[in-house]
Amino acid sequence: MRGEYTVDAKGRLNFPAKLRNTFGDHFYIAKSIYDKCLIVYNEKSWTEFQDKLRDKPQEIQMPILRYVVGNACEAEPDKQGRIAIAQHLRDFAGITSDITIVSMGDKAEIWDTGLLRENEEEFGQAAIMKLAKKAEI
C-alpha cells in the first residue's frame, strides 16, 4: 500500500485509517538506518527490533539503539486520526509538506515525496531485479 499525504505546519499528519487499523492506537516513529526516511513500527515490531539487538556486542548494540530508539517518538492518533511527527525526525527525513507513506506489513516508511521519487529514479528497476535474484524471490 502506498499513498500521498500532507503534513501541516505543526507537523501533524492525518494517519490513514487503514494503517491505524494495522498499527493500533500506539506506535513508534524512528529514523531509518538505511534511507533518509522514517520508519513506523507497531508495538510488536518495535519490541522485536530491540530484542534483535540485545545479544549483540555493546559496540554494535549501543550506537544503533542510540540512533534509532534514542531519536524515536511515540505516536497516538488523536480523535481526528492525526499524529504529530517530531521536528527532529521531519528534519532528518527532509519532510516539509508532501509525504508518501509506503506500507510494508508491520512497518511503514514515511518519505518526503520528492526524496522518494529521487531515490526510486536513482535506484531503478534493474537494481531491484538484482536484489530479487540475490534474495532468490
Side-chain angles (χ1 to χ4, degrees):
M1 185 174 113
R2 179 181 177 137
E4 293 187 5
Y5 306 93
T6 302
V7 173
D8 69 17
K10 295 181 181 179
R12 296 176 301 188
L13 159 68
N14 191 352
F15 203 64
K18 283 185 178 183
L19 291 179
R20 288 195 308 265
N21 292 336
T22 300
F23 288 89
D25 294 331
H26 186 255
F27 45 91
Y28 301 87
I29 303 172
K31 292 178 175 182
S32 170
I33 294 172
Y34 303 105
D35 290 300
K36 280 296 227 191
C37 68
L38 305 176
I39 305 291
V40 181
Y41 295 87
N42 65 21
E43 291 270 0
K44 182 180 179 215
S45 62
W46 185 244
T47 301
E48 288 172 351
F49 170 78
Q50 293 178 71
D51 287 346
K52 286 180 184 177
L53 290 171
R54 288 198 204 293
D55 296 331
K56 305 296 183 219
Q58 288 288 325
E59 63 269 14
I60 294 172
Q61 181 187 122
M62 295 311 294
I64 295 172
L65 287 173
R66 194 174 301 116
Y67 182 82
V68 177
V69 178
N71 284 296
C73 69
E74 296 182 54
E76 294 180 359
D78 65 13
K79 291 177 184 175
Q80 287 88 24
R82 296 175 304 189
I83 60 167
I85 302 173
Q87 182 68 53
H88 72 279
L89 293 175
R90 294 193 319 266
D91 291 345
F92 166 79
I95 293 171
T96 54
S97 178
D98 297 330
I99 63 157
T100 300
I101 298 177
V102 181
S103 176
M104 302 176 298
D106 64 349
K107 295 181 207 62
E109 293 179 331
I110 300 175
W111 283 85
D112 172 82
T113 298
L115 284 176
L116 177 59
R117 285 186 186 131
E118 287 174 20
N119 182 281
E120 289 175 336
E121 288 171 10
E122 184 179 310
F123 205 69
Q125 186 175 4
I128 297 296
M129 289 171 53
K130 284 181 185 177
L131 289 174
K133 285 181 182 180
K134 189 174 184 178
E136 298 179 355
I137 56 172

